[in-house]
Amino acid sequence: MARIFLTRIVDGEALDRLRAVHTVEVWTGDAPPTREELITGLGDAEGLLCMLSDRIDADVIAAAPRLRAIANYAVGTDNVDLDAALARGIAVGNTPNVLTDATADLAFALMLAAARHLPAAERSVRADEWGTWEATRWNGAEVHGATLGIVGFGRIGRAVARRAEGFSMNVLATRATPLAELLARSDFVSLHCPLTPETHHLIDAAALSRMKSSAILINTARGGIVDQQALGEALRKGTIGGAALDVTDPEPMRADDPLLNAPNLIVLPHIGSATHATRSRMTELAVANLLAALAGQPMPNAVV
Ligand code: GLV
Ligand code: GLV
C-alpha cells in the first residue's frame, strides 16, 4: 500500500479503484497547492496525480524522495520536468486519446464563435443593444468553405481536420505545408502542437505578420506557443482578424491582463477536455498509470 497525493479532486469513479489498493490523499484547498504546499503534500508519497497547472520541476521531484510514479491529468506534459523524472527512474504517464475529440470540438466551437462574433453579439442582447435586425453590424467570416491551417497534425489536429471536412473546408497541415505558406493561405489557423523549446513562441510577430488581415487564430494547445504581446499588437493594429484562445501564458489570465483589451478576442479558461465523459476517462487512464507503476509494471500510457 503506497501513499498517493492528488493535487485536485477529479471526476469519475476510477478513484475508488485506487483507494482500494492505496492510501489516497487529496488536496482540498479551493486554490491549487502552492509550490510549498505541493512539496509538503508530496512528502513521502510514492505516487502523484497532478494537474497541468502544477509545475513538477526538478526541485519538487528532488523534495519527494520516495516518489515512483507521476500521473499527469492531461495529455500535455510540459508542466513536468521529464528529464529529472527520468534521471530518478520515476515513471511519468499522461492521458492521451480520450480527450482528442472533446478538444477538437472546442477548437471548432472557438472557430465558429470567433468567426460569427458570438460572445459580442450575445453580450449586446444582455446590454439591451438589440435595436433592430442588423444588416451589417454582425457580419463575420464564413467557416464553411474557408481554408483551415492546422499547426501540429497529431491526434487532435487530425480530429479537427475530420470536423473541417463536414464544413467543406480546405485543410492545410504543417505536415505537408511549410508553416510560412500555411499562415499566408489560411483563413483560420488552429494550433495543435505540444509546447516544447522548439514551439515556444512559434507564433510570434513575424508569424502573425504572415497571416491574412482577416485570419483568425485558434489556440487550444498551450499558451506559450503564442507570443501574447505580439498577438495583442496584431489584434490592435488589425493585422489579423481575431483570435480565440483556450490557453494563455501564464494561466490563469487575470482580468487586468492587457491582452483582454484587444479587439476581436475570445479567451476561455482552458476547458478543452472539460466534458463529464472525457474527464472520467482521463481519471481512468491516470489511475491505470498509477496502479501499474506502483505495482512495478510499465504505465499503459507512459511518457518516460
Ligand atoms: C490539456 O490541455 C491537456 O494537455 O490535457
Ligand atoms: C469577440 O467577442 C468576438 O465576438 O469576436
Side-chain angles (χ1 to χ4, degrees):
M1 196 171 216
R3 194 174 147 265
I4 296 170
F5 184 58
L6 235 95
T7 63
R8 209 81 184 150
I9 191 67
V10 290
D11 210 347
E13 279 147 29
L15 270 192
D16 294 341
R17 289 199 286 131
L18 202 58
R19 287 203 171 96
V21 202
H22 297 294
T23 307
V24 176
E25 265 172 49
V26 182
W27 173 259
T28 50
D30 282 338
T34 63
R35 186 181 171 73
E36 288 67 37
E37 288 164 339
L38 179 62
I39 287 173
T40 309
L42 262 173
D44 64 354
E46 292 174 66
L48 169 66
L49 200 164
C50 54
M51 309 297 117
L52 57 88
S53 44
D54 301 312
R55 206 158 70 81
I56 312 300
D57 59 20
D59 293 341
V60 170
I61 288 172
R66 300 194 61 196
L67 190 60
R68 295 195 283 134
I70 299 174
N72 205 39
Y73 194 69
V75 66
T77 49
D78 49 279
N79 59 307
V80 181
D81 188 329
L82 299 179
D83 292 333
L86 189 62
R88 269 271 304 281
I90 298 172
V92 181
N94 65 346
T95 61
N97 304 311
V98 295
L99 48 68
T100 299
D101 285 306
T103 308
D105 285 353
L106 191 81
F108 243 85
L110 282 175
M111 196 167 5
L112 290 161
R116 303 298 297 273
H117 305 298
L118 298 194
E122 206 264 356
R123 284 194 298 271
S124 81
V125 176
R126 292 175 191 278
D128 206 20
E129 288 167 6
W130 186 0
T132 181
W133 181 84
E134 295 285 354
T136 58
R137 181 177 174 194
W138 296 113
N139 296 1
E142 297 203 326
V143 171
H144 66 87
T147 296
L148 169 63
I150 299 180
V151 178
F153 209 55
R155 288 175 291 248
I156 299 173
R158 290 195 300 268
V160 169
R162 286 196 295 276
R163 284 157 179 72
E165 217 178 284
F167 282 75
S168 307
M169 297 182 89
N170 172 33
V171 174
L172 305 174
T174 40
R175 180 162 293 183
T177 310
L179 180 63
E181 183 188 336
L182 178 148
L183 293 170
R185 286 174 56 194
S186 297
D187 301 304
F188 299 88
V189 174
S190 194
L191 307 180
H192 300 289
C193 51
L195 176 63
T196 65
E198 290 73 39
T199 64
H200 181 258
H201 285 193
L202 180 69
I203 305 301
D204 57 5
L208 290 161
S209 72
R210 294 202 169 89
M211 290 172 62
K212 296 183 187 180
S213 60
S214 57
I216 292 172
L217 177 71
I218 313 292
N219 190 3
T220 54
R222 283 293 180 272
I225 299 166
V226 176
D227 177 345
Q228 273 177 204
Q229 183 147 358
L231 176 62
E233 280 166 28
L235 289 170
R236 285 189 195 92
K237 289 185 189 150
T239 55
I240 70 168
L245 314 175
D246 184 42
V247 289
T248 60
D249 182 21
E251 292 182 6
M253 175 178 274
R254 301 271 49 109
D256 62 0
D257 192 294
L259 184 63
L260 288 174
N261 297 323
N264 300 315
L265 174 72
I266 299 172
V267 182
L268 296 180
H270 204 151
I271 60 171
S273 65
T275 71
H276 292 297
T278 290
R279 289 283 164 89
S280 294
R281 288 188 218 112
M282 288 167 66
T283 304
E284 279 169 29
L285 293 198
V287 164
N289 280 340
L290 284 174
L291 286 174
L294 294 173
Q297 311 289 326
M299 287 184 168
N301 288 290
V303 180
V304 300

